[in-house]
Amino acid sequence: MAIIVHDNGLDAAANHLANNLGYPNRFSHLASTATVTYNDCNYHVTAIAGNAFQSKTITGELNIPSSVCSIGDRAFQDCKYLTAISIPSSVESIGINAFYRCYAVESLNMDCESTYGDNCFQRLGYEADKLKVSIGKNVQTIPEMLFRSLKITELAFAPEGKLREIGASAFSGCKISGAINFPPTLTTI
């Protein structure tokens, strides 16, 4: 199974792939790949289109491939059964509501220095008993209100990280337990 993406008109190929595999609305353990084959052509995955998986039943982990540079608006909105999300350093932008209402997420690993759309993580893990957020070594800035009101129970920063700044209210309303070890590069909170 290939991740359904947008790459220079690949939407038709993605829809064809999903429908012919019998998965127009249900995906199980979505696998990530750097290429999609359609009509004997291989397409390099560089972006996940807006609305690509909106309201689809995707269970398990989502590992965005390192070839992806952008995740579109509402790409995974209302994917209520995802349990873990990993976003690599290659991702430069995450769209509005990209992961909005992904209620079951228990783990978010992000290692990208991105521009973030409004509410891209809003209500992430809202029905999970725990939400662990791991910030990777390539993240330099956490913008204002990025994780506001999430039920984060554990927050970890890469000790060798490049984090310089945490914006105002980035974690407002979060009830983070345990010690937090910030990287030595952090200068502004």
Side-chain angles (χ1 to χ4, degrees):
M1 166 87 49
I3 196 165
I4 296 180
V5 300
H6 173 73
D7 182 3
N8 299 329
L10 189 55
D11 284 340
N15 289 332
H16 169 80
L17 197 103
N19 289 326
N20 286 332
L21 288 174
Y23 294 108
N25 293 307
R26 182 175 167 77
F27 299 84
S28 180
H29 300 287
L30 184 65
S32 302
T33 183
T35 60
V36 173
T37 302
Y38 176 66
N39 284 344
D40 296 322
C41 291
N42 290 326
Y43 294 90
H44 188 67
V45 177
T46 58
I48 301 173
N51 306 310
F53 293 102
Q54 183 179 6
S55 301
K56 304 293 189 215
T57 301
I58 303 171
T59 60
E61 298 179 16
L62 171 65
N63 295 302
I64 305 294
S66 61
S67 60
V68 170
C69 296
S70 68
I71 300 170
D73 294 348
R74 297 171 298 285
F76 295 96
Q77 179 177 321
D78 292 320
C79 290
K80 297 177 182 176
Y81 304 102
L82 277 176
T83 57
I85 299 169
S86 290
I87 304 171
S89 61
S90 61
V91 175
E92 298 170 357
S93 67
I94 299 175
I96 297 167
N97 294 334
F99 296 99
Y100 181 63
R101 291 191 302 236
C102 291
Y103 291 136
V105 171
E106 295 179 346
S107 173
L108 171 64
N109 295 306
M110 53 183 270
D111 193 24
C112 54
E113 179 63 19
S114 296
T115 54
Y116 300 93
D118 290 342
N119 301 315
C120 63
F121 296 118
Q122 191 70 26
R123 295 194 169 265
L124 186 75
Y126 205 72
E127 292 180 359
D129 291 332
K130 59 184 177 182
L131 175 58
K132 178 181 180 180
V133 174
S134 298
I135 307 296
K137 66 180 182 180
N138 292 304
V139 176
Q140 295 180 35
T141 304
I142 297 174
E144 292 181 8
M145 302 186 350
L146 183 63
F147 297 114
R148 74 173 187 268
S149 301
L150 295 186
K151 294 181 177 179
I152 298 173
T153 54
E154 188 176 337
L155 178 62
F157 295 94
E160 71 283 1
K162 301 174 187 171
L163 185 66
R164 294 181 337 262
E165 180 179 348
I166 297 176
S169 303
F171 295 98
S172 71
C174 296
K175 295 179 181 175
I176 302 167
S177 59
I180 300 172
N181 294 311
F182 296 104
T185 54
L186 183 64
T187 58
T188 306
I189 298 181

